[in-house]
Structures are given as structure tokens and as C-alpha cells.
Amino acid sequence: MKRKEFLISIFLPSLGGGGAEKVALKLAEGFVNRGFNVDLVLLKAEGPYLNLIPKKCTLYVLNSRRALFSLFKLVKYLKSRKPSVFISNLTHLNIVSLLTKLLFTNKIKFVIVEHLNFTKSFKYKRGMKKYFLYFMMKSFYPYADKIIAVSQGVAMDFESLLPGVKQKIKVIYNPIPVDEIIEKSKEPLNHPWFKDSQIPVILSAGRLSSQKDFGTLMKAFSLIRKELKSRLVILGEGEERKNLENLAKSLGIYEDILMPGFVDNPYKFMSKASVFVLSSIYEGFANVIVEAMACGLSVVSTDCESGPREILEDGKYGKLVPVGDPEALAKATMETIKNPYDKEFLILRARDFSVEAAVSKYLEIIE
């Protein structure tokens, strides 16, 4: 089939400011640049990334509050558009997508993408919903034509959870647009903290959620401040904001912490910070580590499952510390501030995760 006759559909809940959404948009752009038709299918037309939809993509909005409620609208979409391949992201959407495959018999290839280490995320989820989710995964994931894992750790986790789908799993690292990031990192940043080179700025970014464990980062920062005058900036928004603000006040570090919320261009912060710190309890790939490295910024990360150890190659490109250990995090951060990694060394590593490489690997399995 000619590429101009080949339709790729990418399914997302919305275009909220998360890593999965950013990755999907970069893949869509990559497919369009290779001459493919691309539909972007959303449950809801909302989120800060709406203005980043590639011009040649066609947007379809199902107008559903929940994934399950979109089932029949999704079947209608598939009957109407008849895509060659349907790429679904995130567990709840993956389940609904595979359910539509059973209801819709047209020869569409269904590819699902898993962005998290399910075992670790399962451990920290509350209530009975997680057991239902696992049951649905066991029931429907075997019907996927391919399962994309965003890291080796995610792949290994799914092989242990669902051994029957092992042959369908393929690891494709998330695409990171390094040159685009470098260009955006050159934009001016008009904040006094980033103009005083005498006081180091520790940077982190991500949804303000329990998964990111910014509480441990704040505790580490309080230890750092006892030995080194410094400041902490956390980019992102989320349900833990109030708790984190209260923790900062109780630790006596509130005046030296900045939490500006979601920002359109985090890279201008990265290019001017002293070190980037990821404090997560679990991840799938940790895009933000590669993004920081693309800006030439040294990284300290928890050795969480999955992603950081693979990206940093067992500590070659940045220090790894145990999860939930503020003392170890503080020590590694101070060492990195005093002895940062070579910028070109980090940028070169970031280029290993290019958009072009990811798009080529996707096309190997869907063409």
C-alpha cells in the first residue's frame, strides 16, 4: 500500500501536559513527515498541547468523559475512517481499543503502547479499581497485534505479568526532538534566580503527584541548604501542590522554592539550571531525563523502575540513588553541582533517542 493511502490513527485521552501526550505528538509529526496520513483521536479536546498538533494531522474528538463511554463512538470512527493501524496509548484506552477490535472485524492492526511499569504503579494505586484493571489487561491484551514497551524494564514487567504476550512485545524508546529542544533552550529566561550564577539552582519537573515523590526531593534540598546556599525549582502542576507547599513551609525552605506550574518551555530552565533531579518512585521511561541531557544539564535520578538506569547507562551519564532516600539524593546532587558532567557528552547521549529512530522502529512493525 502506498504511504498516502496508509492511515495511522493515534488514540489519546486528551492533550494534557504529560509525557505520553508529548511522545504521541512527536510520533504523529514523524509519520506525517514520512508521507503518511495521520488521525489524532481524543476523548476530549483539552490540554496545553492542543496548539502543538501537527498541521497535516486530522483531529477527531469523541467527546467522552471516560474511556469506556467512548466505546461505540470509537467503533463508529473505525467504521468511518478505516485506518490501516490504530495506535493506542495508556492502559485504560488500550483496554477499550482492544474491546473495539473484538466488536469491529475490519482488518485493522491494533498497536498498544505502555508507558509505565505496571507492577510498580499497581503497588501505589488504591482501591479495587487496580484489580479490575489488571483483570481487563489479562483478558484483552492478548488480542493486540503488537505491544510497545517504552523501556526494557517495562517490557520485562509485562513479560512477567502476561507471559502469553511475550512474542508481541517490542521495546521502542520514546522519541526526543533534541535539536528542537536545544533551539528552545536558547530562549531568554527572565527570573532573577537564573541570573545569579553564585547560587546554584536545582531543577525538577513533572506532575505534582505521589509518583514523582517531590517530598523526598524537598527533604533532600533541606539537607543541601545546610551545607550549600541553593534554590529549588519544580516545574509542573498536580494534586499534590498543597501538600508540597505545606511540607516546604514545615522544612523551613519555602522561600527558596519556586513552583510556577506548567510552563510552555521547560528547556530554557534546563539550560540555565545547575543540575536536574528526578525523584520518582516509578517511571516507564522518564523522558525528562533525556530532555535535560539534551540541554547539556547534568542529571541525578532515583534508580526507580523503569527507565533511568537504561538512559543513564548504569550511572555512566548521571548518578543513580535509591528511591525515597533524601540523604543519598542530597549527597549525589551536591557532588554533581560541584563536578558537573561534560555538556557535549550528555547531548551526544540524548541523540540516541531521536524522533527519527523511534519513527523508523514503529514503521517496521506497522507497515
Side-chain angles (χ1 to χ4, degrees):
M1 183 183 291
K2 294 179 180 179
R3 288 187 173 186
K4 64 181 180 180
E5 299 172 353
F6 195 101
L7 175 61
I8 300 173
S9 297
I10 299 176
F11 189 30
L12 289 163
S14 67
L15 288 177
E21 293 85 349
K22 191 185 293 186
V23 165
L25 286 173
K26 278 298 148 194
L27 286 172
E29 183 180 347
F31 294 143
V32 166
N33 290 340
R34 299 279 187 102
F36 292 93
N37 294 312
V38 177
D39 282 357
L40 196 61
V41 184
L42 305 179
L43 289 183
K44 297 171 286 186
E46 62 183 33
Y49 293 154
L50 276 173
N51 62 335
L52 299 180
I53 297 173
K55 290 181 180 179
K56 292 185 179 179
C57 277
T58 303
L59 177 63
Y60 282 85
V61 183
L62 302 180
N63 290 315
S64 294
R65 289 185 294 111
R66 293 175 176 269
L68 191 59
F69 297 164
S70 72
L71 182 63
F72 294 108
K73 290 181 180 180
L74 191 55
V75 170
K76 184 178 179 181
Y77 163 81
L78 293 171
K79 286 182 177 179
S80 170
R81 294 291 286 171
K82 296 182 175 62
S84 307
V85 62
F86 190 81
I87 303 174
S88 174
N89 294 266
L90 306 171
T91 306
H92 57 303
L93 293 194
N94 293 343
I95 292 167
V96 170
S97 297
L98 294 173
L99 184 53
T100 65
K101 182 182 181 181
L102 299 181
L103 296 174
F104 186 66
T105 57
N106 191 283
K107 293 181 180 178
I108 297 171
K109 182 177 286 188
F110 280 77
V111 176
I112 62 173
V113 187
E114 276 298 335
H115 292 268
L116 277 181
N117 182 298
F118 186 80
T119 300
K120 287 295 179 183
S121 63
F122 186 87
K123 180 180 177 181
Y124 292 97
K125 288 182 185 293
R126 296 178 180 177
M128 297 301 294
K129 183 180 176 182
K130 62 183 183 180
Y131 296 101
F132 175 72
L133 200 62
Y134 180 48
F135 170 77
M136 296 295 280
M137 287 170 65
K138 288 181 69 176
S139 300
F140 291 105
Y141 272 37
Y143 293 102
D145 293 291
K146 278 290 180 182
I147 300 173
I148 305 300
V150 299
S151 67
Q152 294 289 347
V154 170
M156 291 172 63
D157 182 53
F158 268 88
E159 287 173 9
S160 64
L161 283 171
L162 306 170
V165 302
K166 183 176 181 178
Q167 299 304 315
K168 295 185 177 185
I169 297 173
K170 183 176 177 63
V171 176
I172 303 179
Y173 289 127
N174 285 339
I176 307 297
V178 175
D179 290 324
E180 182 183 313
I181 288 171
I182 290 172
E183 199 58 37
K184 288 183 176 180
S185 74
K186 297 174 183 176
E187 289 184 12
L189 177 57
N190 297 316
H191 192 283
W193 285 10
F194 293 88
K195 293 179 180 179
D196 186 354
S197 59
Q198 300 301 310
I199 302 177
V201 176
I202 300 162
L203 181 68
S204 193
R207 181 172 176 79
L208 304 184
S209 64
S210 56
Q211 174 203 345
K212 303 299 182 182
D213 196 17
F214 289 123
T216 289
L217 175 56
M218 287 187 174
K219 291 172 186 176
F221 179 61
S222 71
L223 298 174
I224 293 169
R225 291 250 329 307
K226 292 176 182 177
E227 298 188 35
L228 178 68
K229 185 171 178 58
S230 52
R231 288 160 174 154
L232 174 64
V233 176
I234 301 174
L235 308 177
E237 196 50 80
E239 63 275 9
E240 284 293 306
R241 172 175 282 277
K242 194 65 180 177
N243 291 336
L244 291 170
E245 289 174 345
N246 290 337
L247 177 61
K249 290 173 184 176
S250 69
L251 292 170
I253 57 174
Y254 187 74
E255 296 303 318
D256 286 318
I257 290 183
L258 176 67
M259 293 194 295
F262 179 86
V263 297
D264 290 330
N265 182 4
Y267 312 123
K268 63 183 180 182
F269 289 82
M270 291 177 177
S271 65
K272 297 164 187 68
S274 305
V275 62
F276 184 88
V277 179
L278 183 110
S279 53
S280 298
I281 298 171
Y282 61 89
E283 287 285 348
F285 177 70
N287 299 344
V288 71
I289 291 181
V290 185
E291 292 171 344
M293 293 167 71
C295 296
L297 181 60
S298 296
V299 173
V300 174
S301 175
T302 52
D303 190 14
C304 66
E305 298 180 73
S306 307
R309 179 169 286 276
E310 293 175 47
I311 296 168
L312 299 175
E313 278 198 7
D314 301 323
K316 178 180 177 181
Y317 292 95
K319 295 184 183 298
L320 293 159
V321 302
V323 172
D325 188 336
E327 290 80 12
L329 195 60
K331 183 174 182 288
T333 302
M334 285 190 288
E335 289 175 353
T336 303
I337 290 171
K338 293 173 184 175
N339 298 290
Y341 288 72
D342 179 76
K343 289 187 177 184
E344 292 304 318
F345 177 68
L346 297 174
I347 293 170
L348 191 62
R349 173 57 175 162
R351 291 191 182 280
D352 290 339
F353 306 96
S354 70
V355 175
E356 293 74 20
V359 169
S360 294
K361 288 179 180 178
Y362 267 87
L363 292 180
E364 286 175 8
I365 66 169
I366 66 178
E367 275 197 289

